[in-house]
Amino acid sequence: MNEDRVTRRRVGAAEVRQANRGWWDADADEYQAEHGAFLGDVDFVWCPEGLREADARLLGEVAGRRILELGCGAAAAARWLATQGARPVALDLSAGMLRHAAQAAARTGVRVPLVQADALALPFADAAFDTVCTAFGAIPFVADSAAVMREVSRVLRPGGRWVFSVTHPMRWIFLDDPGPGGLAAVHSYFDRSPYVEQDEHGVATYVEQHRTLGDRIRELVGAGFRLLDLVEPEWPERHEGIWGQWSPLRGRLFPGTAIFVAEKPADG
């Protein structure tokens, strides 16, 4: 990506939606070619550090539960949940990613309902799910993530759990460089301006949002959630893989992922 096509600027909600839907549709094949083996066809991997739901159990009991995977990509996590006795639904805005989800279902024989929809307008009834989860889906790619939290609260039953992983907010201080260049602080942690890639006409083609840890907690509390845990996975000793800006060099010094575990109060 040319440096003159990368910037930090405010972007309207409609431009964000169009940019990111177009990006994931166009990038779906390359993304799966690069990361599909790491993510698996039937597995729930929370982050580039390799933390798996099979080990972490952040969702709690899943057997028999109605679970929505938000921003599912190729839906590997939803298929894994199905093998654990859950009743998952996988939702994504990108037709390209859902195409890979359908292909993986055909390969594995593990099929889950696939829904193409916007996380800001979930096509489900109130209290339709026992659990909602996403691994790096939806939250960083919408202009108003607080509104997504409210939508999740709406479709989640009282007592239900909402768990999501995002890039750790402190990573926004640094360049997206897995090497030594990514160890120098160059941005203000408090600058919420999105990271934007744009075409030669200045139109956004990819937008990713930054919020501080405090912002995320206020979004959750504002939507009626109670924060149960904030998990910052450590870099495993024998993990030498590089995923974008994630690397052993950086991962052993500071966190790359934040996983928020929240609950909708049963008496709410």
Side-chain angles (χ1 to χ4, degrees):
M1 175 61 64
N2 295 335
E3 289 187 10
D4 60 350
R5 296 202 183 166
V6 176
T7 186
R8 299 281 293 274
R9 66 172 174 87
R10 298 295 178 185
V11 185
E15 188 178 0
V16 170
R17 185 180 189 278
Q18 182 175 353
N20 285 333
R21 180 174 180 174
W23 172 273
W24 288 108
D25 282 349
D27 192 60
D29 292 349
E30 184 176 341
Y31 181 88
Q32 285 302 119
E34 184 174 359
H35 303 299
F38 182 83
L39 295 172
D41 273 343
V42 184
D43 202 356
F44 195 144
V45 183
W46 279 109
C47 52
E49 289 86 353
L51 181 68
R52 284 172 161 76
E53 176 60 15
D55 301 314
R57 297 295 179 183
L58 301 180
L59 301 183
E61 180 58 53
V62 299
R65 301 293 173 87
R66 298 164 297 170
I67 301 179
L68 173 62
E69 185 187 4
L70 193 64
C72 65
R79 286 188 296 277
W80 180 84
L81 288 166
T83 67
Q84 304 304 300
R87 294 182 288 155
V89 173
L91 178 146
D92 204 283
L93 181 64
S94 167
M97 296 305 292
L98 290 174
R99 173 170 48 82
H100 280 278
Q103 291 171 355
R107 282 196 303 272
T108 63
V110 182
R111 300 181 183 277
V112 300
L114 302 177
V115 177
Q116 184 178 12
D118 192 325
L120 290 165
L122 298 174
F124 306 110
D126 296 355
F129 295 98
D130 300 301
T131 306
V132 182
C133 60
T134 185
F136 282 78
I139 302 300
F141 304 112
V142 297
D144 188 356
S145 49
V148 176
M149 304 292 177
R150 294 192 293 271
E151 269 292 88
V152 169
S153 180
R154 180 184 66 78
V155 304
L156 194 61
R157 67 163 177 80
R161 187 168 287 199
W162 164 222
V163 186
F164 64 94
S165 61
V166 293
T167 300
H168 197 289
M170 75 167 291
R171 284 287 176 108
W172 283 74
I173 300 170
F174 307 96
L175 298 175
D176 280 354
D177 183 343
L183 302 181
V186 297
H187 298 296
S188 168
Y189 175 76
F190 302 103
D191 180 3
R192 277 80 164 183
S193 301
Y195 168 88
V196 180
E197 296 179 8
Q198 54 193 20
D199 64 19
E200 65 272 20
H201 305 294
V203 177
T205 58
Y206 176 90
V207 183
E208 190 168 344
Q209 308 284 340
H210 166 53
R211 300 291 183 271
T212 67
L213 285 172
D215 291 338
R216 291 292 181 217
I217 292 171
R218 282 185 288 276
E219 288 178 348
L220 285 166
V221 172
F225 288 103
R226 178 168 53 233
L227 183 66
L228 301 179
D229 200 358
L230 172 57
V231 180
E232 300 165 296
E234 296 187 32
W235 194 267
E237 285 187 11
R238 288 176 291 280
H239 181 12
E240 297 301 322
I242 293 178
W243 178 321
Q245 49 114 334
W246 278 265
S247 66
L249 174 66
R250 284 156 60 94
R252 288 164 185 155
L253 294 174
F254 48 84
T257 298
I259 308 176
F260 294 82
V261 183
E263 180 181 67
K264 182 177 178 178
D267 56 357

